[in-house]
Amino acid sequence: MDLGIAGRTALVCAASKGLGRGCAEALAAEGVNVVIVARTVETLEVTAAAIRAATGVDVKAVACDITTPEGRAAALAACPQPDILVNNAGGPPPGDFRQFTHDDWIRALESNMLTPIELMRATIDGMISRGFGRIVNITSSAVKAPIDVLGLSNGARSGLTGFVAGLARKVAPQGVTINNLLPGMFDTDRIVATITAQAKAQNISIDESRRRRMASIPAGRFGTPDEFGRACAFLCSTHAGYITGQNWLIDGGSYPGTF
Ligand code: NAD
């Protein structure tokens, strides 16, 4: 299926690895020029070169921390008028909420709620004036089914979700859609780190820890960044213009509810 977005421009945040990279690759495969952002210049340049070589689209790399005002300014200077915005950043650390300090909460809110809102604020009027815009926020399955040790994530991402629910309806008449993608368990560096920590805590091998995790997923496996990216690209397509304000769970069937 031709997604109808060749020649568009996308700003994809936190995209040198994992889910963000999956989104950048899938958009580039559809002929979208991408500006990718991540903190480590070396990893980012390797990813940019790989996407260029695979797709031939224009790829710009901006090495910065997207959760800071300076980082956002650098990303927006490289891509002031994106047609597509994919919001993403690292997730907050796990822990007991009694140990979370005020500063921990501010950091989580900055990363996973306020940074996406700032980037939407900076880019949405251009999308409205051009009559086309696609915004995808990478959140988490924790928004739909909270994960006890991820209180910072549950809270900050739910704040973003509530805000977006209102904004999506407001900009719908102007051809701008805003949707959230909620990953369950995907095979990225983040999951590898979680599995390694769990293996250590339970005194089992990493392979066993991985096997137990996978066994808890109806699909019997982790998702791939490519699958995630393809879903993102579809939401950014011309065909998805009537889908807005939605929270798409991509979790191999893990969420146990009927809907
Ligand atoms: P990952 O560690 O594989 O990749 C993270 C990417 O983000 C890297 O490119 C890194 O450089 C970049 N990054 C992180 N913080 C950044 C910042 N402040 N500024 C710029 N770039 C930054 O992680 P992932 O698994 O792809 O996860 C992406 C998001 O999805 C995270 O918020 C994570 O919590 C969330 N999530 C992931 C899963 C999963 O199973 N992988 C599940 C639920 C939620």
Side-chain angles (χ1 to χ4, degrees):
M1 185 183 2
D2 177 357
L3 296 190
I5 47 177
R8 297 279 185 190
T9 298
L11 174 59
V12 188
C13 303
S16 69
K17 295 191 287 183
L19 304 180
R21 176 174 177 161
C23 294
E25 285 177 339
L27 289 167
E30 295 299 324
V32 175
N33 299 311
V34 293
V35 177
I36 58 172
V37 176
R39 285 166 304 184
T40 313
V41 67
E42 294 79 13
T43 332
L44 186 63
E45 289 295 351
V46 169
T47 299
I51 297 176
R52 251 179 238 123
T55 62
V57 300
D58 187 25
V59 184
K60 278 191 205 144
V62 183
C64 65
D65 182 340
I66 198 67
T67 65
T68 65
E70 301 75 29
R72 288 190 290 277
L76 290 167
C79 191
Q81 297 287 331
D83 304 302
I84 295 166
L85 169 65
V86 179
N87 278 314
N88 185 29
D96 182 322
F97 97 95
R98 291 175 187 79
Q99 267 78 56
F100 295 149
T101 64
H102 185 82
D103 283 349
D104 292 332
W105 276 105
I106 297 297
R107 264 194 298 277
L109 291 169
E110 288 282 3
S111 297
N112 301 110
M113 179 182 173
L114 300 177
T115 290
I117 291 173
E118 283 292 308
L119 290 172
M120 286 189 259
R121 187 160 75 97
T123 57
I124 207 162
D125 287 334
M127 295 179 185
I128 289 170
S129 67
R130 293 188 299 279
F132 178 90
R134 296 285 184 267
I135 299 173
V136 174
N137 301 304
I138 300 180
T139 65
S140 171
S141 62
V143 172
K144 193 160 164 94
I147 300 168
D148 62 350
V149 294
L150 291 178
L152 293 169
S153 175
N154 300 338
R157 296 187 199 276
S158 296
L160 174 66
T161 305
F163 169 73
V164 158
L167 182 62
R169 273 78 187 180
K170 226 174 158 183
V171 297
Q174 284 94 22
V176 179
T177 69
I178 314 179
N179 292 289
N180 306 314
L181 280 178
L182 284 58
M185 280 184 250
F186 278 80
D187 209 351
T188 68
D189 283 4
R190 181 171 162 99
I191 277 290
V192 172
T194 314
I195 286 171
T196 308
Q198 271 183 347
K200 212 172 159 190
Q202 295 170 2
N203 203 20
I204 56 174
S205 70
I206 292 173
D207 278 352
E208 177 57 15
S209 173
R210 199 177 168 83
R211 197 196 59 71
R212 286 186 194 177
R213 273 286 185 123
M214 284 186 178
S216 71
I217 303 169
R221 63 176 179 85
F222 297 142
T224 68
D226 181 63
E227 288 172 312
F228 191 87
R230 301 280 170 177
C232 174
F234 177 73
L235 279 181
C236 296
S237 74
T238 50
H239 312 299
Y242 206 50
I243 302 173
T244 197
Q246 299 304 301
N247 290 282
W248 258 22
L249 192 58
I250 311 183
D251 70 348
S254 293
Y255 180 75
T258 306
F259 55 86

